[in-house]
Every structure is written in C-alpha cells, then in structure tokens.
C-alpha cells in the first residue's frame, strides 16, 4: 500500500508532467505560428478568397467586437426628412461606390474588394447604433474607412437615418431624393473637411440670390 507521502509524490509527479506537457505544447504552437508568419505561405492577395474557417473567424470576431463597443448607445430620432436627405447626399458621394444604390448593381471599385462590401440597398442585420459605430470608426482590413475622422457625429447620424430608408427606395425615389433640383449647389461639410451637397430649397434660393 502507498503511504500518504507516496501519494503526495505521485500527485506532484502528475502535476509536473501536466505542466511540462502544456509548456511543450505551447512552445510547439509558438514555433509553428512563427514559422507560418515568416514563411510567406499565406496568400494575402485580395484576389484570393478567404477559406471558410477564415471567413467565419473574421466575421464572428468583427460582429462581436462591434456589439461590445456599442454598448447602450443612445440613438437620436432618425425620422426627420431633412436629416434623411442630407444623409442621402453624403451616402451618394462617400458610400455608393462600394455599397451600391438603387439602379447601381456593381462598380469597378467594389468588384476588387475582399471582403466584398455589403450591399446596403438590401435589408441588413445591423441596428442604427451599430451602423453609427461602423460608419464612425470603420473596420480594420476591410476597406471600410473611419468617417469620424473627417465628419461630425451629426453628419454621421444623418447617414444612418438615410440607411434606414435605403432598402425601400426605388431608383426613381432615389433620384428624386438625391436630385430634387438639377441645379443643386455644392457646399462643404459642416466641419469643412469633406464634400457635401446642399439640398435645402430655401438655402438654394438664398444662394441663388447671393450669386445674382
């Protein structure tokens, strides 16, 4: 029979073997990871699609990261028509080339991106808070820029307000929204860092009087 001292030695031996085994496994994993990174074997070309597991890992990581970052963000009232119209103008100049618009099925820029940007003319799964966070902060390694670097929060919420209505718009409704007047004068964004379009008829009239 084993004495208590012998049992203690056996337990310690098992613990030490487990620690050594785990340390060896971690060391092998670290060596293999370093070999993979420095070998250049992984194809980073955008023309080469991700593997299924790679796609799942990246998408799941991004999805959970955005959800965690948003938290309990307060969403303002997004039903104002002027807000939606201003957001449509910004979307047309900043987003449509990648995310499409009514009547636009594909673009040269979009075709070469990997991952492919979501088609925002179709109903998506993100809520307004998540959309605002993505528009403001962008997404790494996707080509999605952080528009918060050049635009104020108010302007970004205008884009989100428009995104709520986009999937329901026909091409005719889009054109009426984005070009209510073919003579619409251009203006700078409110912080002076990005282009925007003035679609307010009263402002258009006032601008016309100043020019005359």
């Amino acid at each position: 029979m084993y004495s208590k001292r012998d049992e203690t030695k056996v337990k310690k031996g098992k613990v030490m073997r487990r620690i050594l085994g785990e340390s060896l496994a971690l060391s092998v994993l670290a060596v293999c990871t370093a070999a993979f990174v420095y070998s250049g074997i992984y194809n980073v070309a955008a023309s080469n699609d991700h593997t299924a597991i790679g796609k799942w890992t990246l998408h799941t990581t991004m999805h959970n990261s955005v959800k965690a970052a948003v938290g309990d963000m307060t969403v303002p009232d997004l039903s104002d028509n002027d807000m939606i119209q201003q957001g449509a103008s910004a979307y047309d100049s900043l987003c449509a080339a990648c995310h499409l618009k009514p009547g636009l099925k594909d673009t040269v820029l979009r075709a070469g991106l990997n991952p492919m940007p979501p088609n925002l003319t179709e109903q998506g799964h993100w809520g307004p808070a998540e959309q605002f966070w993505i528009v403001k902060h962008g997404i790494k390694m996707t080509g999605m820029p952080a528009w918060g670097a050049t635009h104020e929060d108010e302007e970004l919420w205008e884009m989100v307000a428009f995104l709520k209505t986009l999937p329901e718009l026909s091409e005719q409704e889009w054109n009426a929204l984005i070009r209510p007047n073919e003579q619409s004068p251009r203006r700078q964004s409110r912080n002076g860092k990005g282009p925007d379009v003035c679609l307010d008829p009263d402002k258009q009239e006032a601008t016309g009087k100043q020019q005359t």
Side-chain angles (χ1 to χ4, degrees), residues 150-159 189-191 196:
T150 53
H151 291 70
E152 301 293 341
D153 283 2
E154 182 182 351
E155 295 173 289
L156 303 182
W157 279 119
E158 288 173 350
M159 280 195 262
S189 69
R190 279 180 285 278
N191 65 3
D196 203 343

Side-chain angles (χ1 to χ4, degrees), residues 20-36:
L20 288 172
E22 291 175 353
S23 298
L24 179 60
L26 289 174
S27 297
V28 171
L29 179 61
V31 170
C32 291
T33 300
F36 177 78

Side-chain angles (χ1 to χ4, degrees), residues 69-76 128-134 136-137 157:
V70 166
D72 56 354
M73 181 186 296
T74 301
V75 177
E130 289 83 8
Q131 288 177 328
F132 174 83
W133 191 94
I134 292 171
K136 181 171 182 174
H137 299 286
W157 279 119

Side-chain angles (χ1 to χ4, degrees), residues 100-114:
L100 306 181
K101 59 186 178 181
L104 182 64
K105 301 303 181 184
D106 203 2
T107 67
V108 174
L109 175 60
R110 175 183 166 84
L113 289 175
N114 184 5

